[in-house]
Amino acid sequence: MEQIHVIGGGLAGLTAAITAAESGARVTLHEGHRTLGGRARTTDGPHRANEGPHALYRRGPHWTWLARRDLLGPVVSVPPLEGLRFRFRRDGAARRVPPAALLRLARRSARTAPVDADFRSWATGQIGEEGARAAANFAAAALFHHDPGALSARFVQERFRRLASLPPEARYPAGGWARLIERMAAHARGLGVAVETGARVDTRRLGELARTGPVVVATSLDSARALLADASLTWESGRTVLVDLALRTRRGDAFVVSDLDAPGWLERFTAQDPGLAPAGEQLLQGQFPIGPDARRAEGAARAEDLLDLGFPGWRERTTWRVEALADGRTGAVDRPGTTWRDRPSVVRGDGVFLAGDQVAAPGLLSEVSFTSGLEAAMLAVKAAGRRSGSGVDLNRT
């Protein structure tokens, strides 16, 4: 069988490389950075923060795929008592329980929400204007978008229900997402995948690789657009301020503060994984979506509002703090009248396939990367088999 090349060593690229190798293909993975992981990297040092709040959802498609390959590793869930430390910002004050309207909406199947209507209008008809606004802001934890109410009702409701599910779906790889990436990379190498880091691929190099076999481009959509010189590779994503900080531990701190007055979310990740910070400290991560013309300082100020509500004396207790602006790299969002099927296709022609979190594949956030990586790899294996005239065994995936 011919060679298959995978460009990009994040979750989508590693999924594609493993899938192709399991089908018997010869695979080389090219990663421009010195380390693998993409947006699933975790900071080095005593404070182990992901690039924004990350979670695995146990009902998602890659949960089973990872478990079958013994790649999940140790995962942790939220201790039950921490659920009592959930706080909601409503009308500027911290509340211990969500509005009843949110609980009612969480019982509505996503199938009842129309694709063509915006979430704000549909949810207002279900639970009233105030409840709809709170629900949209709550759902922003899985959207990273400054105006969730303007998005497709079906799209937002699917995510709202998964966020609000009981017991919670979210699980967390112990030690941060880098540990999951390390297991996936080791598994890929064990299957014979050649992993090249510091190997940036440009348009010329892409042409050379494509002459030797199919190529899976598993980069951000912006990078893929430039690499493939394809202006059609566009889709809307969120724009959000990421805030990570470590505080000296204090009893009584909140676990999560969810902003229902505006999109925003702050979570104490050491509640479920104490090893993410040194002894006596706790690691917080949050994201605060801002509009296209807003400055990073606006999101940081909203983060401090939530810190004031849930973490008294946080300024004097801060031992480490990092802020970043994530612009166009937080996954696809769908406007009314569109679904994941309208996003850029996995198939790009001439033996080139696309994977990533803004590609035409179903799922929530990282699940889109996984699903598109899986599909791109299987299509690449088929294409390689046609070029070499050999059969392939797709049942091995």
Side-chain angles (χ1 to χ4, degrees):
M1 181 179 290
E2 291 192 3
Q3 178 79 42
I4 292 176
H5 295 277
V6 178
I7 301 173
L11 183 62
L14 284 167
T15 299
I18 290 170
T19 301
E22 287 178 340
S23 297
R26 291 184 299 113
V27 182
T28 300
L29 187 149
H30 309 262
E31 166 57 50
H33 198 273
R34 62 182 179 82
T35 60
L36 300 174
R39 291 194 292 278
R41 293 188 182 97
T42 304
T43 55
D44 294 325
H47 303 105
R48 297 189 59 79
N50 302 312
E51 188 173 340
H54 285 16
L56 276 170
Y57 289 84
R58 61 185 175 86
R59 295 176 188 167
H62 56 342
W63 180 274
T64 301
W65 188 89
L66 291 166
R68 285 176 178 168
R69 291 157 177 79
D70 197 26
L71 297 176
L72 268 178
V75 294
V76 293
S77 57
V78 177
L81 287 178
E82 292 294 347
L84 302 176
R85 299 186 176 94
F86 214 112
R87 300 290 182 267
F88 300 89
R89 182 180 187 241
R90 293 172 54 201
D91 301 323
R95 313 294 177 90
R96 292 179 179 271
V97 295
L102 265 66
L103 302 178
R104 294 201 305 274
L105 191 66
R107 293 195 291 267
R108 302 283 199 281
S109 169
R111 291 190 296 272
T112 66
V115 170
D116 294 338
D118 66 87
F119 180 78
R120 183 182 298 109
S121 300
W122 174 76
T124 296
Q126 302 292 314
I127 56 173
E129 184 177 352
E130 183 177 347
R133 182 170 59 252
N137 290 332
F138 179 82
L143 299 171
F144 297 83
H145 192 271
H146 70 286
D147 188 10
L151 304 177
S152 165
R154 176 75 60 86
F155 174 80
V156 177
Q157 181 66 4
E158 287 174 344
R159 283 139 188 82
F160 175 77
R161 276 178 53 85
R162 293 186 70 180
L163 281 175
S165 66
L166 291 174
E169 274 197 62
R171 297 293 185 271
Y172 307 84
W177 275 59
R179 296 287 185 254
L180 175 61
I181 293 299
E182 289 166 5
R183 289 190 290 273
M184 293 182 72
H187 185 64
R189 291 186 174 100
L191 292 169
V193 175
V195 178
E196 299 180 357
T197 57
R200 192 169 298 279
V201 175
D202 57 18
T203 302
R204 180 188 62 80
R205 177 62 174 153
L206 173 66
E208 295 173 354
L209 297 178
R211 285 192 287 274
T212 67
V215 177
V216 176
V217 177
T219 67
S220 70
L221 200 59
D222 284 349
S223 295
R225 182 169 59 251
L227 181 62
L228 299 177
D230 185 348
S232 72
L233 294 181
T234 61
W235 197 261
E236 187 175 1
S237 183
R239 184 170 186 261
T240 196
V241 176
L242 305 176
V243 179
D244 308 322
L245 70 163
L247 308 179
R248 287 189 292 274
T249 301
R250 170 189 173 277
R251 290 188 64 184
D253 278 347
F255 163 52
V256 164
V257 185
S258 174
D259 195 345
L260 303 185
D261 294 340
W265 179 275
L266 190 65
E267 182 171 345
R268 177 164 50 90
F269 273 66
T270 40
Q272 55 266 28
D273 190 357
L276 297 178
E281 297 184 23
Q282 49 196 21
L283 177 70
L284 280 60
Q285 292 200 266
Q287 57 97 359
F288 299 86
I290 57 176
D293 300 319
R295 299 171 62 87
R296 190 175 79 181
E298 178 182 320
R302 288 182 16 229
E304 294 186 357
D305 288 343
L306 295 198
L307 286 164
D308 288 338
L309 288 177
F311 302 87
W314 67 270
R315 291 176 177 82
E316 294 73 27
R317 294 191 283 139
T318 299
T319 60
W320 178 77
R321 178 170 177 170
V322 176
E323 294 175 10
L325 176 62
D327 194 352
R329 54 191 178 93
T330 54
V333 295
D334 296 338
R335 291 282 178 179
T338 63
T339 71
W340 63 264
R341 293 178 175 83
D342 300 300
R343 301 173 196 161
S345 172
V346 169
V347 180
R348 306 315 305 173
D350 298 325
V352 176
F353 305 91
L354 190 64
D357 62 8
Q358 290 182 265
V359 176
L364 169 65
L365 296 173
S366 63
E367 296 170 4
V368 180
S369 292
F370 164 79
T371 307
S372 61
L374 194 69
E375 182 180 356
M378 291 190 293
L379 292 171
V381 168
K382 287 183 179 179
R386 288 194 296 269
R387 289 173 63 153
S388 65
S390 64
V392 296
D393 182 10
L394 291 179
N395 292 324
R396 295 173 61 179
T397 63

